Amino acid sequence: MAEAPIFATLGCRLNAYETEAMKELSAEAGLSGAVVVNTCAVTAEAVRKARQEIRRLRREHPEARLIVTGCAAQTEPETFTAMEEVDAVIGNTEKMQPETWKGLAADFIGETEMLQVDDIMSVTETAGHLIDGFGTRSRAYVQVQNGCDHRCTFCIIPYGRGNSRSVPAGVVVDQIKRLVDRGYNEVVLTGVDLTSWGADLPATPRLGDLVMRILKLVPDLPRLRISSIDSIEVDENLMQAIATEPRLMPHLHLSLQHGDDMILKRMKRRHLRDDAIRFAEEARRLRPEMTFGADIIAGFPTETEAHFENSLRLVEDCGLTWLHVFPYSRRDGTPAARIPNQINGRVIRDRAARLRQAGEARVAAHLAEQVGRAHRVLMENPRMGRTEQFTEVEFDTDQPEGQIVDVRISGQTGQRLVA
């Protein structure tokens, strides 16, 4: 019996989504006896980990064909073709095409086929391969957008993902209908730059238009959630949905990156500190139970202690709860890597730790506020689920997996609520 390929995924949720697509494509092509590594390129450390994972998998599977793909394969294919452990390198566009996997399923990979990485900036459409139900049995992820048209100075991702492309609304709605028919109670919209959705489609619809359309045309969908957004790009319809649609979950993850205007300008971000605060205040005014997550980078080149303090204060000023803190990592090929005043690694780690401490304090405060309150919890497994605000809730008795249960919160433990 042919041995199914082994997949290793590094990096973001979108990579995990695309791994599920590759599993289907490789199975349809009949690929066997292979190991596929889906890499991340967000930092130099991510590329180092990819190389480490490739070497580990080669030791564990010495006879398998080892195929490398993902953002690091796209941005620096020569790094991986030079590794003796690697048999093939395929780009982010190629990995979503059935023909690629049919070719890889052949008995022999020739020298000319070892490298299949085209210019991703020439890609104008999103991959058509959609996954019905990636995620847990309770929550499904739907990719509605890929790529990014912005050029933040610290970021290599546009060169791995290409320019922004959107999945048409009708295709998205049809997929969500199928997911609801299969029993999913929550759908999460994902993308690389989600709030740019629609800019490349006829009539240039906005993300808020897509959200309103989904909620209108899929009335049986209990919960719709949005992944990371750029708050400066939020449109009126999305604010309207926040205010009026209880099925849109009161949890937004914001791509903020910093709290100081000078650093934001050097990052080439499109918002200023006051824009972020104003958005958070308005969203919470429209939906008082709204909670925010955020990405924040510590130790960007030229960051002084005063600059950093502005990031630290932003946690309180925006009322952030779920922080993703990134110690700045110099990434060759980005403008930020050429800035002369790079920050000492020890200082970066110290600032990142202080940001995480601020985040932990906010989580503790949020959990304390929920004790005694009623919540609707979507069960991810028999003993753990999440509130509408994405807070984990622990149970001492089994609950129906994938279902929404009504509970009253009795306490907290660690970073979880207890029901």
Side-chain angles (χ1 to χ4, degrees):
M1 182 177 171
E3 187 180 339
I6 294 165
F7 284 83
T9 305
L10 302 166
C12 66
R13 177 67 66 177
L14 189 54
N15 251 14
Y17 178 99
E18 289 172 344
T19 291
E20 297 302 307
M22 288 190 285
K23 286 179 182 178
E24 290 190 4
L25 290 167
S26 62
E28 290 164 6
L31 179 67
S32 63
V35 172
V36 182
V37 184
N38 195 8
T39 62
C40 172
V42 69
T43 62
E45 175 67 7
V47 178
R48 188 192 68 78
K49 285 183 178 177
R51 290 166 59 86
Q52 187 179 46
E53 182 72 354
I54 288 164
R55 293 190 185 103
R56 182 186 70 80
L57 288 165
R58 171 53 78 208
R59 288 194 299 273
E60 291 181 3
H61 306 279
E63 303 302 319
R65 283 186 293 169
L66 202 147
I67 300 161
V68 179
T69 187
C71 288
Q74 182 69 47
T75 57
E76 43 186 284
E78 64 288 343
T79 294
F80 300 99
T81 54
M83 293 181 70
E84 60 183 20
E85 295 87 354
V86 175
D87 295 302
V89 179
I90 60 175
N92 265 338
T93 301
E94 290 77 13
K95 76 181 182 185
M96 303 300 283
Q97 294 172 343
E99 302 76 33
T100 302
W101 296 97
K102 288 172 185 171
L104 291 168
D107 289 337
F108 176 73
I109 297 177
E111 285 298 318
T112 57
E113 294 173 302
M114 181 182 181
L115 180 62
Q116 300 179 54
V117 181
D118 286 340
D119 177 15
I120 200 153
M121 293 302 175
S122 65
V123 179
T124 57
E125 295 181 357
T126 44
H129 198 91
L130 297 171
I131 300 302
D132 284 349
F134 159 62
T136 64
R137 285 171 56 189
S138 55
R139 178 180 300 107
Y141 294 82
V142 175
Q143 181 187 352
V144 303
Q145 184 274 339
N146 203 343
C148 184
D149 291 339
H150 308 300
R151 297 295 181 265
C152 299
T153 59
F154 55 82
C155 188
I156 198 78
I157 296 306
Y159 305 99
R161 289 287 177 180
N163 292 316
S164 182
R165 297 94 73 197
S166 309
V167 178
V171 175
V172 175
V173 168
D174 287 346
Q175 187 187 8
I176 292 174
K177 285 179 178 176
R178 292 197 301 273
L179 290 166
V180 172
D181 288 344
R182 291 180 55 194
Y184 286 91
N185 281 319
E186 181 173 301
V187 165
V188 186
L189 303 183
T190 68
V192 173
D193 182 28
L194 198 58
T195 26
S196 71
W197 180 89
D200 57 323
L201 296 176
T204 60
R206 303 291 300 276
L207 181 62
D209 302 322
L210 177 63
V211 166
M212 293 296 245
R213 186 166 176 178
I214 291 167
L215 293 169
K216 179 182 178 182
L217 296 180
V218 196
D220 295 337
L221 172 66
R223 291 162 64 144
L224 179 65
R225 196 178 291 280
I226 299 173
S227 61
S228 182
I229 63 168
D230 203 334
S231 59
I232 200 69
E233 291 187 325
V234 169
D235 59 285
E236 286 185 18
N237 264 351
L238 186 52
M239 298 306 287
Q240 178 75 5
I242 289 169
T244 63
E245 291 286 355
R247 291 185 294 145
L248 178 64
M249 294 296 93
H251 166 253
L252 294 171
H253 190 84
L254 309 178
S255 177
L256 297 180
Q257 310 307 343
H258 212 274
D260 183 86
D261 286 349
M262 180 59 73
I263 298 296
L264 288 167
K265 287 177 182 176
R266 288 172 181 162
M267 287 178 164
K268 211 173 177 182
R269 300 293 294 167
R270 294 171 307 288
H271 73 274
L272 297 174
R273 173 191 181 81
D274 284 349
D275 296 321
I277 296 170
R278 196 160 40 243
F279 171 81
E281 288 174 346
E282 178 64 6
R284 197 173 275 114
R285 184 185 69 80
L286 296 172
R287 194 84 174 269
E289 70 271 32
M290 181 67 75
T291 59
F292 299 109
D295 296 331
I296 301 182
I297 295 172
F300 186 81
T302 76
E303 181 189 76
T304 64
E305 182 64 22
H307 294 149
F308 171 73
E309 289 287 344
N310 278 333
S311 276
L312 205 53
R313 280 197 296 273
L314 193 69
V315 177
E316 291 295 333
D317 292 346
C318 282
L320 306 176
T321 300
W322 313 110
L323 293 193
H324 287 183
V325 176
F326 296 90
Y328 173 76
S329 172
R330 187 176 176 276
R331 190 71 176 85
D332 287 341
T334 61
R338 299 192 296 271
I339 296 175
N341 190 4
Q342 303 281 323
I343 307 301
N344 177 278
R346 182 185 54 76
V347 174
I348 292 175
R349 290 190 294 275
D350 174 68
R351 289 175 181 173
R354 288 159 65 192
L355 271 172
R356 291 192 184 103
Q357 286 173 355
E360 288 164 7
R362 287 288 310 173
V363 170
H366 169 71
L367 297 179
E369 288 169 2
Q370 307 312 310
V371 176
R373 293 186 181 180
H375 277 282
R376 306 199 74 214
V377 176
L378 177 65
M379 299 306 302
E380 294 186 8
N381 62 56
R383 295 293 179 98
M384 196 280 287
R386 289 185 191 264
T387 69
E388 294 184 337
Q389 297 158 313
F390 213 59
T391 311
E392 291 186 356
V393 182
E394 196 174 286
F395 291 75
D396 59 6
T397 58
D398 285 358
Q399 304 296 318
E401 189 172 347
Q403 298 304 303
I404 296 172
V405 299
D406 292 301
V407 301
R408 190 165 295 279
I409 302 303
S410 59
Q412 64 186 87
T413 175
Q415 293 206 334
R416 286 181 173 179
L417 296 171
V418 176

